[in-house]
Amino acid sequence: MNKVADIMTTVRQRRVGKGTEAAEDQPSEEKNVKNEEGGKILPGYTGRKLWNIFSVTVGGIVAISVGLLTSVYVATLHENDLWFSNIKEVEREISFRTECGLYYSYYKQMIQAASIQQGLHGLVYDNKTESVRTINILERMNVYQEVFLSILYRILPIQQYLEPVYFYIYTLFGLQAVYVIALYVTSWLLSGTWLSGLLAACWYITNRVDTTRVEFTIPLRENWALPFFAVQIAAITYLLRTHLQPVQEKMTLLAVFISTFLFSLTWQFNQFMMLIQALALFILDCFDMLPTAKVMWLYIIQISGLLLVCVLQFFNSMILGSLLLSFNASVLIARTIQKNLKKGTLLNRLGKLILHVLLVMWLTFLINKFIKKILHLESDEHIFKFLKAKFGFGATRDFDANLYLCEEAFGLLPLNTFSRLSDTLLFYVYVFVLFLVTVAAVIVAFQNLSDSNQVQFMEKMEECTITLKPDAAYNFIHTVLFGCLAFSTMRMKYLWTSHMCVFASFGLCSTEVWKLILKCIHLYTPQRTRMMKYSIPIITLLYISYKFWPGIMDELSELREFYDPDTVELMNWIKSNTPNTAVFAGSMQLLAGVKLCTGRTLTNHPHYEDKNLRERTKQIYQIYAKRSPEDVYRILRSFGTDYVILEDSICYERRHSRGCRLRDLLDIANGHIMDGLGENEPDLKPSLYPRFCEEIKKNLPSYTVHFTRVFQNKTFHVYKLAKHK
């Protein structure tokens, strides 16, 4: 019972200490320390101010240095892995796999355009990305970053010194420096010492396999967006500090808006990430753990940032119908209706809270349904089908949903992730800190709901900010919610693992955390708290350096070389033997490379956030299904196809298990029995035709009348379609 009482006392205790209890390494919310009689500033205050300036300067230099070193580190890994500086241009472009190649192709297109105006016109009226259709690339895809970089490259006097591809990849590697500096600053703001930021950066680097994949997926949208997301989190963390001056608050809100806008502009999944962020704010506001006015501002910033992106993307339907806009609008409406939400007894407040949550959920559903019905929006329906099937709300034969379900990246987070994170001590520290902060959060939330006297409101808020300050509370809920997202979908782990580094380092360097621990074991003194706050992080840094520095050096000295002769041969053949206006059909991943390397027109591509494209892709993929040559020919010609590329790696796929191979997904969607030993659903029937991609290689008359093989190697087979009258 004594330990429980000590914990409660720590949570409710007011800050009365002086310099020993304050944040030592940054300019904190200082009061004027003056002599009561003469009003002169005491010498101790001047000395402490000078020390803070020195500490902030050193911490800033360390932050910039670590960020730049990280940038150089990932750039070196990329060079060593591919020998990028020595391979041919076509090999460099092939190294941008799948959708990465598609995004980079628009940068290349803008660079090669006769003028900036013609380049923009080509993007707004694009008829090469989807055959027999003219689409607006700026509306459909998040490629403003490619547009901006291409314009910057054209107007800067660097063409003679730097190739366009290097300008592109160096920009992305440079953003990694911004990313690490933002993580560093966030941890520093939370703990009060830049040592925490250094530890967060070191954990980010040593856990690189799980914190970033920028070195081998450079143009991926998340590599553009996550640095801005990290800057936004740092700005929100600063905004939630108490006693900010009005000017500081306005400048911080501006920083939050700019980073939110840039994050939204650069990634098509922005709305889902910010929805989780909005949920975090909603939860904390419900439990009175954040200042309501600041929370409302953050909702408004999210809405305005997303709407501005919507305008720039020519009123993209996926943004207009997003759950984020509906949810934020619902919260603002509900708060207007329920003005006395934070008054009353415990039971009274719980009742109001439940009603508030139900009202927000109902309004969100109503507004979202209304918008989608009025505007006939179906852009994101595949995501909800995928989520429904993933979480067990009924099996599905939907091709698009199963395509996601069968990809490892969209599966559950593998358990070996935790063993890797544990090797650097990150996971152990994270779980320990998370447990302590969870206990504190539960106690503070209970106290907030129990004590609602308006006279005691400001005092209560001050008490809550001792053990769980608003900035720490936000980062706590943020890491919990994004942790749940990472557990459910492996591809999203990079949003969580980087923040793990911040949260764990904050806990290890936090005065409040060590004070709570030492009070629980009856060993608390301010001196012991300071000693633990600095000694444990330093020991952890020394351990990480000793264990992982040799491995990093070995990694940097390991040299490889890009090698994909079959794809290089295919691209060179296409450029040399097909007209510039030729239309190619094939897998989404390969066609992105075809567009980048050859500039030929495609039938489909990997940017899957469009219903018509999803239906088109399913039709094109009938080349791997059990369909008649006449059916396949008719489908391909309906999209203007001149050439079709068949890949043995898909036709005879062994990477996935039975039921998840592409040919199996097509068979199920078509109502056909799957190949190989194993069970089939009772209503599936044998197909009347053999598998097209296998049978076409036999050169039977029924196939050769429509398809003529014009190229083949060990991996690819290219067939030219006959043009019947």
Side-chain angles (χ1 to χ4, degrees):
M1 290 297 292
N2 290 335
K3 289 184 178 181
V4 175
D6 285 336
I7 294 173
M8 293 290 290
T9 303
T10 304
V11 174
R12 300 299 301 276
Q13 183 181 4
R14 300 184 63 138
R15 186 187 298 261
V16 293
K18 295 184 181 180
T20 57
E21 299 284 332
E24 294 89 348
D25 290 352
Q26 66 179 33
S28 56
E29 298 127 8
E30 297 178 20
K31 299 177 182 178
N32 290 330
V33 182
K34 296 186 178 181
N35 186 302
E36 290 183 3
E37 295 181 2
K40 295 181 180 179
I41 297 176
L42 298 176
Y45 171 75
T46 304
R48 188 162 65 253
K49 187 174 182 180
L50 289 173
W51 170 253
N52 282 339
I53 293 172
F54 173 76
S55 181
V56 168
T57 303
V58 173
I61 293 171
V62 172
I64 294 170
S65 301
V66 171
L68 292 175
L69 284 173
T70 305
S71 178
V72 173
Y73 174 54
V74 293
T76 305
L77 290 176
H78 174 258
E79 169 63 25
N80 290 356
D81 190 50
L82 299 174
W83 203 6
F84 199 76
S85 60
N86 196 60
I87 58 178
K88 299 175 183 177
E89 183 180 4
V90 66
E91 293 174 313
R92 290 176 179 175
E93 292 176 346
I94 291 171
S95 72
F96 297 140
R97 304 284 185 180
T98 66
E99 60 186 294
C100 296
L102 182 68
Y103 298 133
Y104 182 78
S105 72
Y106 299 118
Y107 170 75
K108 180 181 176 181
Q109 182 177 324
M110 283 289 296
I111 292 287
Q112 293 180 343
S115 66
I116 293 173
Q117 291 77 9
Q118 283 193 5
L120 291 171
H121 184 273
L123 293 180
V124 175
Y125 301 98
D126 180 277
N127 55 14
K128 295 185 75 68
T129 302
E130 295 177 18
S131 57
V132 301
R133 288 185 71 187
T134 298
I135 64 173
N136 184 345
I137 298 298
L138 295 180
E139 183 262 327
R140 283 274 294 277
M141 304 182 197
N142 298 71
V143 294
Y144 269 102
Q145 50 268 49
E146 276 75 21
V147 172
F148 173 75
L149 267 195
S150 63
I151 294 173
L152 201 60
Y153 182 81
R154 294 177 71 120
I155 63 176
L156 291 176
I158 57 174
Q159 288 88 345
Q160 294 180 350
Y161 314 104
L162 195 65
E163 296 176 62
V165 67
Y166 277 107
F167 184 65
Y168 187 90
I169 66 173
Y170 286 165
T171 300
L172 266 301
F173 293 142
L175 278 177
Q176 280 294 298
V178 175
Y179 195 5
V180 171
I181 291 171
L183 298 176
Y184 182 110
V185 169
T186 304
S187 187
W188 186 358
L189 289 170
L190 288 169
S191 65
T193 170
W194 59 260
L195 186 63
S196 173
L198 180 60
L199 182 57
C202 288
W203 264 329
Y204 178 86
I205 295 169
T206 52
N207 291 283
R208 177 185 55 79
V209 173
D210 295 300
T211 55
T212 183
R213 49 179 175 168
V214 66
E215 73 273 14
F216 60 90
T217 59
I218 297 174
L220 209 61
R221 300 300 82 180
E222 69 188 44
N223 295 327
W224 285 98
L226 292 187
F228 299 122
F229 194 48
V231 171
Q232 186 224 42
I233 294 168
I236 290 175
T237 301
Y238 186 76
L239 177 69
L240 295 176
R241 292 160 69 92
T242 54
H243 308 303
L244 286 183
Q245 297 296 322
V247 174
Q248 292 176 311
E249 191 168 308
K250 288 177 182 178
M251 294 303 296
T252 308
L253 284 170
L254 179 62
V256 173
F257 173 77
I258 293 172
S259 54
T260 300
F261 166 69
L262 292 174
F263 170 68
S264 303
L265 189 66
T266 51
W267 198 14
Q268 69 268 30
F269 294 138
N270 54 62
Q271 54 176 293
F272 303 105
M273 304 309 111
M274 289 200 296
L275 177 61
I276 295 174
Q277 195 175 52
L279 286 172
L281 296 171
F282 179 71
I283 292 168
L284 291 168
D285 186 42
C286 285
F287 288 104
D288 206 8
M289 298 171 78
L290 293 182
T292 300
K294 291 182 179 180
V295 172
M296 295 301 107
W297 269 114
L298 291 173
Y299 285 140
I300 293 169
I301 285 174
Q302 283 191 333
I303 292 173
S304 55
L306 204 58
L307 287 178
L308 181 56
V309 171
C310 182
V311 172
L312 287 175
Q313 289 195 255
F314 297 82
F315 298 95
N316 182 290
S317 61
M318 194 170 173
I319 296 176
L320 289 172
S322 67
L323 274 175
L324 175 67
L325 291 180
S326 303
F327 177 79
N328 284 12
S330 300
V331 173
L332 294 174
I333 294 169
R335 286 307 300 263
T336 304
I337 296 172
Q338 294 180 292
K339 293 182 179 179
N340 296 323
L341 190 64
K342 297 183 178 181
K343 292 182 180 180
T345 62
L346 175 62
L347 291 177
N348 186 267
R349 288 195 64 179
L350 283 174
K352 289 181 179 179
L353 196 59
I354 293 170
L355 182 62
H356 181 64
V357 171
L358 292 175
L359 178 61
V360 169
M361 290 175 62
W362 179 75
L363 283 173
T364 301
F365 176 79
L366 194 67
I367 294 171
N368 195 252
K369 279 289 182 184
F370 177 76
I371 292 173
K372 287 186 174 180
K373 188 169 183 178
I374 292 295
L375 300 178
H376 306 289
L377 304 181
E378 297 176 309
S379 302
D380 56 359
E381 64 173 10
H382 64 299
I383 296 174
F384 294 105
K385 287 180 181 177
F386 159 71
L387 293 174
K388 183 179 176 182
K390 183 178 179 67
F391 294 111
F393 297 104
T396 180
R397 289 186 181 177
D398 183 77
F399 175 76
D400 301 319
N402 284 328
L403 201 61
Y404 280 108
L405 287 170
C406 287
E407 281 299 320
E408 184 183 6
F410 292 93
L412 298 176
L413 190 67
L415 294 177
N416 61 6
T417 304
F418 302 108
S419 63
R420 289 194 300 271
L421 295 173
S422 300
D423 287 342
T424 62
L425 303 181
L426 173 60
F427 187 65
Y428 297 131
V429 175
Y430 175 79
V431 171
F432 177 66
V433 174
L434 188 65
F435 171 75
L436 290 176
V437 178
T438 301
V439 172
V442 170
I443 294 172
V444 170
F446 179 78
Q447 291 295 330
N448 288 349
L449 291 177
S450 300
D451 185 11
S452 60
N453 191 318
Q454 187 65 28
V455 176
Q456 299 174 350
F457 179 73
M458 292 306 298
E459 181 180 348
K460 175 170 66 66
M461 282 300 296
E462 187 178 349
E463 290 168 358
C464 291
T465 61
I466 301 305
T467 303
L468 198 63
K469 297 179 287 187
D471 53 359
Y474 168 75
N475 280 273
F476 162 65
I477 297 296
H478 180 101
T479 196
V480 169
L481 293 183
F482 279 95
C484 294
L485 178 66
F487 272 92
S488 65
T489 309
M490 187 187 77
R491 182 177 177 179
M492 299 301 171
K493 72 175 179 178
Y494 302 102
L495 289 148
W496 178 52
T497 48
S498 58
H499 195 263
M500 278 181 73
C501 303
V502 171
F503 195 75
S505 61
F506 142 67
L508 215 56
C509 299
S510 170
T511 300
E512 286 80 9
V513 168
W514 284 115
K515 187 194 299 183
L516 178 63
I517 295 169
L518 292 173
K519 285 206 169 189
C520 286
I521 58 177
H522 303 288
L523 292 175
Y524 169 72
T525 64
Q527 292 75 21
R528 286 195 185 118
T529 302
R530 285 171 58 85
M531 182 186 71
M532 298 300 288
K533 173 179 178 177
Y534 292 109
S535 61
I536 298 300
I538 290 172
I539 292 170
T540 305
L541 281 169
L542 291 174
Y543 168 79
I544 292 172
S545 302
Y546 172 77
K547 185 171 182 180
F548 293 97
W549 182 258
I552 290 174
M553 290 297 100
D554 290 342
E555 191 177 33
L556 289 172
S557 63
E558 188 175 351
L559 303 177
R560 300 187 184 90
E561 184 178 358
F562 175 87
Y563 185 75
D564 189 357
D566 290 348
T567 307
V568 171
E569 184 184 12
L570 172 67
M571 299 304 172
N572 287 333
W573 181 87
I574 291 174
K575 285 195 288 186
S576 303
N577 296 277
T578 64
N580 292 334
T581 56
V583 177
F584 278 80
S587 69
M588 296 184 289
Q589 296 82 356
L590 180 62
L591 290 185
V594 170
K595 184 181 188 309
L596 171 58
C597 298
T598 71
R600 301 303 188 264
T601 304
L602 314 180
T603 55
N604 54 306
H605 54 83
H607 195 273
Y608 220 48
E609 281 69 49
D610 179 77
K611 185 179 181 181
N612 290 326
L613 177 66
R614 293 193 294 271
E615 293 174 349
R616 174 186 283 229
T617 298
K618 181 182 175 183
Q619 290 298 308
I620 296 294
Y621 276 8
Q622 297 303 310
I623 59 179
Y624 296 109
K626 298 172 182 176
R627 298 289 292 269
S628 70
E630 293 78 17
D631 282 348
V632 174
Y633 177 80
R634 177 181 50 79
I635 291 169
L636 293 177
R637 286 303 299 164
S638 70
F639 299 118
T641 307
D642 297 312
Y643 298 87
V644 59
I645 307 173
L646 297 174
E647 300 170 63
D648 287 345
S649 58
I650 298 178
C651 190
Y652 307 107
E653 183 184 357
R654 295 178 181 176
R655 184 169 67 95
H656 291 103
S657 59
R658 185 177 184 270
C660 265
R661 299 169 298 190
L662 179 61
R663 62 180 187 266
D664 297 334
L665 301 183
L666 291 163
D667 289 342
I668 293 170
N670 293 339
H672 297 153
I673 290 174
M674 294 182 288
D675 293 338
L677 299 175
E679 296 183 357
N680 289 282
E681 294 184 30
D683 58 332
L684 295 179
K685 299 178 181 179
S687 173
L688 298 175
Y689 304 99
R691 194 166 303 282
F692 177 84
C693 64
E694 296 176 358
E695 202 70 9
I696 192 174
K697 295 169 186 174
K698 298 178 181 178
N699 291 323
L700 299 174
S702 57
Y703 289 82
T704 56
V705 70
H706 301 298
F707 304 94
T708 303
R709 184 162 57 196
V710 291
F711 173 85
Q712 82 173 102
N713 59 24
K714 291 183 293 183
T715 305
F716 305 106
H717 301 260
V718 181
Y719 292 86
K720 185 176 182 179
L721 275 69
K723 294 187 178 180
H724 302 308
K725 293 183 180 180

